[in-house]
Structure formats: structure tokens, C-alpha cells
Amino acid sequence: DAKTTQPTSMDCAEGRAANLPCNHSTISGNEYVYWYRQIHSQGPQYIIHGLKNNETNEMASLIITEDRKSSTLILPHATLRDTAVYYCIVRVGGSNYKLTFGKGTLLTVNP
Amino acid sequence: DAGVTQSPTHLIKTRGQHVTLRCSPISGHKSVSWYQQVLGQGPQFIFQYYEKEERGRGNFPDRFSARQFPNYSSELNVNALLLGDSALYLCASSLAEGIWTEAFFGQGTRLTVV
């Protein structure tokens, strides 16, 4: 699975959009980009995933660059409850469920 | 609907002891995976089981073992505990193998080895 690079921490004002970047310059053509988050003392929670097209769901949007070497997770209106560690994971989809987590980005949403 | 449940939630053990952690997946989910998360790090993959068979193993010593039962629940066993085994142990369940669906994590078992 390709390695990812994320900033260690970011701050965001409540109500504003939070844009979390992820670099995955060695991504292969069959590897997906996944985002999970972990709120303090809880298990990780799936947010969104994509291959090459931009994706949106009720939680967030995922923007993947055309060369697929980087992506951005967008939380459109951050709330205090979005304070968490956000993990960007790149892996081949399908046959197994091994997720390779890095250290992630600690997003702090401030009032 | 019940999510992934893990027991116990907290546990304190002494070096050299053995521990068994338990996980019940979401109803209908046949795949269970185990992760270890030490303080300040992301979760690290230990095992994946599907239909009672081991499908994947991470870089952990043989002191770590697991099994999955006919009802798809799972146990993680760790023998000869070391101080470095202190961590949050997470269980994740998924619907099926070969078809990607999101992995749902439990709240974890906090193991402290003293």
C-alpha cells in the first residue's frame, strides 16, 4: 500500500470549512484513497473513499487531483464535534480489509 | 442496531500473564479484524478473519493469536505479556470478503500491562 503524508495538526474555526490535505505521490492506479477519523477514546470512523473522481456524502467531500498524487478532505461546516484525528489511507480495494494507518492529522475546531 | 462490541473495556494485567479480548461483530458481518493502537500512533493491523479462517496477519510476534467462532465473534489472545503490549486493542467488522464495504470499529479494549 502506498505511503501517505499528512500535516501533524490543523486548526479550524467553528462553522468554517476544514480542508485536510494528504499527499500520496506513489499511489498506484488500482489504489483507492480512504479517510477515517478517530475522536478521542473512540474507535476509528469511516468518512469517505474514492478512486479518481471527486466524491461527496453527508459527512464530507473528497477532492482528488488529476494526477492522483494528492487529495483533500473537506468538512464544509466544521463543528466542535469534528475535533478528531483524521487518517488518510491508500490501499487496494476489495479482497482484504487491512488498513495501514499513519499518525494522521489532529484537527482542532475552535469556537 | 448494535455496533461492534468489545469486552472488557479496560483491563490491567501483570507482565508474563495471558489475556483474552473479545469482539462481537455487527449482525451479518462475517469478517473481523484486530488492530493495536499504542499512545500517539495510528492503529496497527494484527489479524483479519473471515469465515473462521485467518486471511491476514500483521507484523506481530507469535505471542499474539486469534480465532473466529461459528457465530463470527472473535477472540484475540496475547501470551507472556510485555509492558510494550499496553495499548488500545480495536476490533473492526466488515460485511464480506471480496466486496469492499466500510470497516466498522468497536470502542476498543484498553490493556495496561504493569
Side-chain angles (χ1 to χ4, degrees), chain A residues 34 36 38 41-46 49 87 91-103, chain B residues 31 33 35 37 41-45 48 88 90 94 96-103 105-107:
Chain A
Y34 299 83
Y36 278 76
Q38 188 172 25
S41 298
Q42 297 184 19
Q45 176 191 23
Y46 166 81
H49 78 284
Y87 296 100
R91 62 176 287 268
V92 176
S95 62
N96 68 72
Y97 295 97
K98 176 184 176 183
L99 296 168
T100 303
F101 290 85
K103 292 189 177 181
Chain B
S31 179
S33 299
Y35 290 77
Q37 186 174 24
Q41 303 291 323
Q44 299 299 306
F45 173 76
Q48 186 216 347
L88 180 67
L90 295 160
S94 302
E97 184 185 53
I99 303 171
W100 190 88
T101 59
E102 61 194 271
F105 284 82
Q107 301 286 26

Side-chain angles (χ1 to χ4, degrees), chain B residues 93-114:
Chain B
S93 78
S94 302
L95 187 59
E97 184 185 53
I99 303 171
W100 190 88
T101 59
E102 61 194 271
F104 294 84
F105 284 82
Q107 301 286 26
T109 294
R110 174 72 63 186
L111 172 65
T112 302
V113 182
V114 298

